[in-house]
Amino acid sequence: MLYTDERDPGNEMPEFGDHVDKTMFEQILEMDEDEKERDFSKPLIYNFFEQAADTFERMERELEQKNLSELSRLGHFLKGSSATLGFIKIRDSCEVIQEQGKLAGSESDLAACLDKIRDALAQARNDTDELRNLMIKYFEN
Amino acid sequence: MPPADGSPSTAQAGSSSSDFVRKLYKMLEDPSYNSVVRWSAEGDSFVVLENEKFTKTILPKHFKHSNFASFVRQLNKYDFHKVRHNEEAGEPPYGKDAWEFRHPQFRADRKDNLDNIRRKAPAPRKTVQPEEAFQATQQIMVLSESLSATQHEVQTLREQCSELEKTNKMLVSEVLSLKKMVRAQSQASSELITHLTNLEERRRSSRNSAHPAGPGFASAAMGFLADGPDEPAPEIRRAREILDAAAADLQADRGRERLSVAYNQTGPAPDAAGSSSVMFANAGAVGGIPMVHDAVNDPRQLVYSVPQTADMDPFQAEPMQNMPYSRALSNPALHAEAPSPLTPHLKPPPAGSLWRGKKPHILLVEDDKTCARVGHKLLTNLECTVDLANDGNECVNRIKAGMQFDLIFMDIIMPNLDGVSATSLIRYAIPSVPIVALTSNIRQEDIQSYINCGINDVLAKPFTKEGMLRILRRHLLHLVKDPQSADLVAAEAGHPVAGQGPGPPTSQPYAAPVAMSMPAMAPNPQIKFEQASLQSPAAASTWQSPSQIHQTVPAMDGGAAYMSAVAANGPASMVLATNPGQRTLSLSAAPTPQQQSQQQAQAQAQAQAQAQAQAQAQAQAQQQQPHQALPPPPPPAQPPQPLQSQPGQYAGYMTPQQVTGAHLAAMAQAGAAAAAAAAAAANASPLDDRPEKRQRLYAPVPGQAGGYVG
């Protein structure tokens, strides 16, 4: 998309494209005692994807309910997790959801917010799917 | 026998020879003494025949004393010798007790020879003296040699010293010019960062508005733009952190410079002196001291007013480590690395343990499992003992249970009880434990509210190892092994970049508290940026801001009841679905029926207008959330209704002002209130679904695991 990581591409890092902030993600990888086993980062990241899938489901439900505040809360929540891991594309989408969820205004605004949230959610799911595949490839190799 | 009368020779002798010898001769001339003392038969010696008589009668007459021993000593001085007689040769000629003395020149017939009898010269002394003189001169020579050598040495040292002085001056001026350059560069960089931030801001918002929203929604997009996201991209934040770290290093250099300045009496004012302590003053008692002033102008007094650093000033305690040479290279290296944000962040942890003895015990209060695990791991890697609490209530309960911690990392937005409220609650029990907010909401108004409730510092999410380390060193200085480097780290906080950043500092009313509370996060540029982005201040408040929360929470009896219920059920555990099975189940557990029943209950309550229940519930509502009680609840079928469906989620958010005094007691009260409110709701509604609602709110029963409150 529009947001890309423009810092020099590291060569030792696997290619996650613009999905991942390398610094944050490397910090996570660094915490592994064993670089082959990766028994800290691997469950952490797999867990994140489960958490993300769960959160997306909840978001869908809240969208139906037009529950903006809950959407905002969920957006904030997933934003924190994704930012911690350096998953910046997901983070950005979550941020949109959080921010849009905050906007409680006129009825047309509500619809607009919900539309934006719907788009951001779709984007986030897409990005998450892509990234999950990349991560699985990375960790299972 | 020579004539007794005087002769010219006698007179002559009297003038030159010793009195003693002449007296002796005269005494021997007296014939009346013959039985006592007389010349020997040969006339070449004299004999004392009767020792006792001689001593008592004759000696006093001629020598004015009666001491035979001193008479003998006198004789010896004139080289008279006692004549010894070999005992084997038979009886001595003058008897056993006689004393016979002889001097080669002392003869009865040679009165003229008396002048040749002289006192013996003190011969041994005369032979010693030249020897001593020789030694003395030798010593003098040695001394003068060593003196000249010393003088030479002094001269060499003096030359070296002046050489060093020159070099030092050169170095200082070089450092000064470098510093100017660095400052200029960091200014340029922060300008660039600000520019980039704005660019990214625009890009993000354009990306957001790029969604097919239609022209009618442009206003909403603009509103979003004005509000802006909570934080800039972490890349930009990191860039700022690097700039800050570099500036802090520069500061340390300035401290070193002070050493040379001390004797040069020239150069810049060592204004870095109190920078570290300034930080501590801020961390300890967050006063209203504007950062811009104290770091640059008058930090010196603070050095002594702050106990933590009084004994740990690295520039006083370990001046050798601050010599310009040992660290001179670190700075250029750092600056060289600065363009790549990766390098400084990936540097290995300091060799050996960070801690002196006791390892810190840290409470990490965090509802997000991912953050909690990463934070836990980071802290464990830094040898800390870490306790995890999933929300504010867990944190409060641990403090209530008397658990001791050295530091608390506190997430702000958490279910059940948020970090600000939790801090307010536990501050009474633990007034001195550093509490560090762990949050992505780092706007000035957020930070102000954190500070108001007793939070000491802020570590921005997503946090890095370096950020964590900085916080630990800053607040656990007493446990850190090398306080010097800790002080350097602390000095980062107090660096005066705030005064050098773009834009006049006076135009940043919030700069001071923010800079004080979160120095690690490039306070000034950050603030600058945020202020620039806050084009509409009305829209700027975040949804986490407690008052904002209350505005979004609907004013309903049910809401109040829920809120009280949640508050009463304080220790309710957060449900963060890490179990996949549970999570898939949660998908089916849609809250809709509950919400409907809830709405029904509310509608029922409204319709029946049970004044009693209303009054009760509203009283509670006012007690807890003044914002909420007054407007009448909308009819259940209105579109905003979904907003009200889960008011309990926000029950934990209390404004800091509300969370004061005996809050633990207040929580207990809320319990009773909740029961009353719930009873009221039950009365009001024929469809009493209260237990279900309760379960949904704070108990993750299987099949209803959707009670995801995290």
Side-chain angles (χ1 to χ4, degrees):
Chain A
M1 283 277 298
L2 289 156
Y3 189 89
T4 52
D5 190 354
E6 282 157 3
R7 283 173 297 111
D8 65 311
N11 25 13
E12 77 285 354
M13 272 287 291
E15 267 315 308
F16 297 119
D18 55 1
H19 283 289
V20 171
D21 175 288
K22 290 193 178 71
T23 309
M24 291 306 294
F25 187 63
E26 271 174 5
Q27 179 177 280
I28 302 294
L29 292 183
E30 259 178 41
M31 286 190 265
D32 281 318
E33 268 112 45
D34 186 340
E35 292 204 358
K36 288 212 172 98
E37 293 297 319
R38 296 237 173 264
D39 40 16
F40 173 72
S41 62
K42 188 173 162 181
L44 181 75
I45 279 158
Y46 280 28
N47 243 309
F48 167 80
F49 285 115
E50 291 172 7
Q51 176 188 322
D54 180 52
T55 309
F56 293 149
E57 292 302 326
R58 306 182 140 276
M59 284 176 170
E60 297 283 5
R61 281 207 309 272
E62 301 301 339
L63 255 178
E64 281 172 33
Q65 298 293 318
K66 301 193 170 91
N67 187 347
L68 279 187
S69 60
E70 182 62 9
L71 280 166
S72 178
R73 201 188 61 78
L74 291 169
H76 169 83
F77 183 79
L78 197 58
K79 186 184 83 169
S81 306
S82 51
T84 300
L85 299 177
F87 297 169
I88 47 181
K89 278 181 89 169
I90 301 171
R91 177 201 67 189
D92 286 353
S93 295
C94 289
E95 190 169 303
V96 172
I97 294 169
Q98 178 193 352
E99 293 296 325
Q100 293 297 323
K102 268 191 234 176
L103 301 172
S106 70
E107 202 159 326
S108 68
D109 277 346
L110 176 69
C113 290
L114 290 173
D115 277 349
K116 282 184 177 302
I117 290 173
R118 199 167 289 120
D119 290 339
L121 179 54
Q123 179 74 44
R125 297 193 96 147
N126 223 358
D127 291 339
T128 305
D129 286 343
E130 273 181 39
L131 184 57
R132 181 172 45 215
N133 290 335
L134 290 171
M135 284 290 164
I136 288 171
K137 214 191 283 174
Y138 173 69
F139 279 109
E140 301 305 329
N141 276 349
Chain B
M1 281 277 174
D5 50 48
S7 67
S9 67
T10 315
Q12 206 186 352
S15 65
S16 61
S17 70
S18 161
D19 271 356
F20 174 75
V21 181
R22 279 191 287 119
K23 278 180 195 169
L24 186 64
Y25 194 87
K26 196 180 173 187
M27 180 191 75
L28 290 173
E29 281 177 327
D30 193 336
S32 62
Y33 300 150
N34 258 350
S35 60
V36 182
V37 55
R38 57 179 158 100
W39 288 99
S40 64
E42 293 80 22
D44 60 349
S45 65
F46 74 92
V47 187
V48 178
L49 294 165
E50 292 188 50
N51 196 335
E52 200 171 327
K53 218 175 193 177
F54 173 78
T55 306
K56 282 185 179 168
T57 60
I58 300 172
L59 270 183
K61 274 188 198 163
H62 295 269
F63 301 98
K64 292 181 175 116
H65 66 78
S66 57
N67 187 337
F68 188 72
S70 68
F71 174 72
V72 174
R73 219 177 296 136
Q74 197 85 339
L75 285 171
N76 286 336
K77 275 186 189 166
Y78 285 86
D79 218 11
F80 284 79
H81 291 284
K82 191 182 179 188
V83 180
R84 298 182 183 279
H85 296 276
N86 199 338
E87 284 189 17
E88 285 170 15
E91 191 78 358
Y94 308 106
K96 267 187 182 172
D97 298 328
W99 293 65
E100 188 180 6
F101 296 95
R102 175 181 291 164
H103 188 282
Q105 310 289 333
F106 189 70
R107 301 176 69 93
D109 53 347
R110 293 294 299 273
K111 195 181 177 181
D112 59 310
N113 214 17
L114 289 179
D115 284 347
N116 295 330
I117 303 167
R118 304 217 167 125
R119 278 174 77 106
K120 289 190 284 186
R125 278 190 203 158
K126 274 179 185 169
T127 53
V128 166
Q129 260 183 351
E131 211 174 299
E132 278 180 348
F134 174 72
Q135 280 179 348
T137 42
Q138 230 178 0
Q139 277 176 342
I140 286 170
M141 274 171 65
V142 168
L143 280 174
S144 67
E145 265 173 41
S146 70
L147 179 68
S148 67
T150 311
Q151 278 173 334
H152 186 71
E153 211 169 316
V154 166
Q155 184 59 29
T156 319
L157 282 174
R158 206 172 284 162
E159 280 166 17
Q160 279 180 347
C161 187
S162 68
E163 199 67 17
L164 279 176
E165 228 168 291
K166 271 187 223 162
T167 320
N168 206 336
K169 272 183 191 165
M170 269 169 55
L171 283 174
V172 166
S173 65
E174 209 165 313
V175 164
L176 284 179
S177 64
L178 278 175
K179 205 167 58 183
K180 272 185 204 162
M181 267 178 60
V182 165
R183 196 177 299 162
Q185 279 186 342
S186 75
Q187 261 179 18
S189 308
S190 58
E191 291 284 0
L192 282 173
I193 287 171
T194 312
H195 178 66
L196 278 174
T197 311
N198 291 337
L199 268 186
E200 190 201 285
E201 197 61 9
R202 244 169 276 157
R203 188 174 50 183
R204 276 207 221 179
S205 57
S206 70
R207 175 181 160 186
N208 295 332
S209 57
H211 294 298
F217 305 128
S219 61
M222 287 317 287
F224 171 61
L225 204 163
D227 195 316
D230 273 351
E231 50 173 335
E235 299 82 9
I236 290 174
R237 211 181 66 205
R238 270 202 302 274
R240 286 188 184 125
E241 273 184 35
I242 290 160
L243 267 184
D244 284 357
D249 244 32
L250 203 69
Q251 274 244 322
D253 275 353
R254 234 183 290 174
R256 275 165 230 133
E257 198 175 285
R258 194 176 53 177
L259 292 175
S260 61
V261 166
Y263 68 85
N264 276 339
Q265 298 297 329
T266 53
D271 51 351
S275 54
S276 59
S277 61
V278 168
M279 216 295 303
F280 276 99
N282 296 339
V286 182
I289 314 159
M291 175 70 184
V292 179
H293 292 299
D294 61 9
V296 179
N297 293 329
D298 55 351
R300 280 183 160 277
Q301 301 89 327
L302 286 169
V303 174
Y304 303 102
S305 69
V306 178
Q308 286 99 317
T309 48
D311 55 342
M312 290 182 180
D313 188 350
F315 304 130
Q316 304 296 333
E318 293 165 298
M320 287 317 288
Q321 297 187 13
N322 294 294
M323 289 308 284
Y325 308 101
S326 60
R327 292 265 318 210
L329 289 175
S330 72
N331 238 5
L334 187 64
H335 288 305
E337 288 167 2
S340 158
L342 295 180
T343 344
H345 281 271
L346 297 180
K347 66 189 168 200
S353 175
L354 172 68
W355 311 106
R356 198 183 298 151
K358 177 182 177 280
K359 308 279 188 287
H361 190 194
I362 287 173
L363 179 60
L364 177 57
V365 189
E366 169 64 78
D367 64 312
D368 177 355
K369 276 280 189 291
T370 305
C371 287
R373 285 167 82 167
V374 171
H376 186 283
K377 185 77 175 174
L378 278 174
L379 288 168
T380 311
N381 285 355
L382 292 168
E383 294 179 284
C384 301
T385 315
V386 188
D387 272 24
L388 276 176
N390 284 326
D391 61 26
N393 277 330
E394 281 190 27
C395 167
V396 170
N397 288 338
R398 286 192 206 193
I399 299 301
K400 274 202 287 188
M403 292 186 70
Q404 301 281 322
F405 299 101
D406 295 304
L407 189 142
I408 299 177
F409 281 110
M410 183 78 80
D411 189 17
I412 295 300
I413 300 175
M414 288 181 292
N416 303 326
L417 188 64
D418 67 294
V420 170
S421 307
T423 304
S424 301
L425 286 170
I426 60 178
R427 255 304 169 223
Y428 297 95
I430 46 166
S432 61
V433 171
I435 301 181
V436 179
L438 202 58
T439 180
S440 58
N441 301 308
I442 49 175
R443 290 162 193 266
Q444 57 265 37
E445 62 262 29
D446 298 330
I447 284 157
Q448 195 56 55
S449 74
Y450 304 158
I451 291 170
N452 286 344
C453 79
I455 284 173
N456 303 88
D457 210 337
V458 178
L459 178 58
K461 275 189 194 172
F463 46 82
T464 61
K465 187 170 66 191
E466 280 66 36
M468 211 84 156
L469 194 59
R470 237 190 315 250
I471 293 283
L472 291 180
R473 282 188 159 159
R474 189 181 305 151
H475 294 282
L476 300 175
L477 195 61
H478 55 290
L479 301 176
V480 169
K481 200 200 292 171
D482 51 341
Q484 194 219 335
S485 64
D487 245 17
L488 288 179
V489 168
E492 287 177 37
H495 70 81
V497 160
Q500 302 164 356
T506 48
S507 72
Q508 302 174 3
Y510 293 106
V514 172
M516 287 191 296
S517 62
M518 34 174 300
M521 290 181 292
N524 198 45
Q526 182 97 22
I527 299 311
K528 168 74 179 164
F529 149 68
E530 289 193 351
Q531 289 223 334
S533 71
L534 295 180
Q535 287 153 16
S536 75
S541 64
T542 59
W543 75 289
Q544 293 86 0
S545 145
S547 61
Q548 182 83 7
I549 299 297
H550 300 316
Q551 284 159 18
T552 61
V553 172
M556 293 201 59
D557 310 339
Y562 272 37
M563 182 190 63
S564 317
V566 171
N569 207 40
S573 61
M574 181 209 68
V575 191
L576 213 168
T578 46
N579 180 343
Q582 206 177 9
R583 200 161 316 110
T584 43
L585 276 176
S586 75
L587 301 182
S588 61
T592 323
Q594 290 141 22
Q595 283 172 355
Q596 282 170 354
S597 57
Q598 182 188 334
Q599 287 165 14
Q600 281 173 345
Q602 288 159 356
Q604 198 77 16
Q606 185 74 21
Q608 293 182 0
Q610 286 194 354
Q612 194 185 359
Q614 278 276 8
Q616 264 187 334
Q618 285 207 352
Q620 283 149 16
Q622 275 166 341
Q623 186 186 343
Q624 290 276 328
Q625 295 192 338
H627 295 292
Q628 169 186 343
L630 295 177
Q638 288 303 311
Q641 194 74 35
L643 281 178
Q644 306 160 359
S645 63
Q646 292 184 318
Q649 300 282 0
Y650 300 100
Y653 292 109
M654 296 182 247
T655 59
Q657 291 78 17
Q658 286 173 315
V659 184
T660 52
H663 264 265
L664 297 176
M667 282 172 65
Q669 270 186 349
N683 285 341
S685 167
L687 302 168
D688 187 2
D689 55 354
R690 189 160 52 86
E692 228 180 305
K693 274 193 282 185
R694 265 190 157 164
Q695 274 183 336
R696 198 185 145 271
L697 275 169
Y698 35 83
V701 287
Q704 271 198 320
Y708 172 99
V709 212

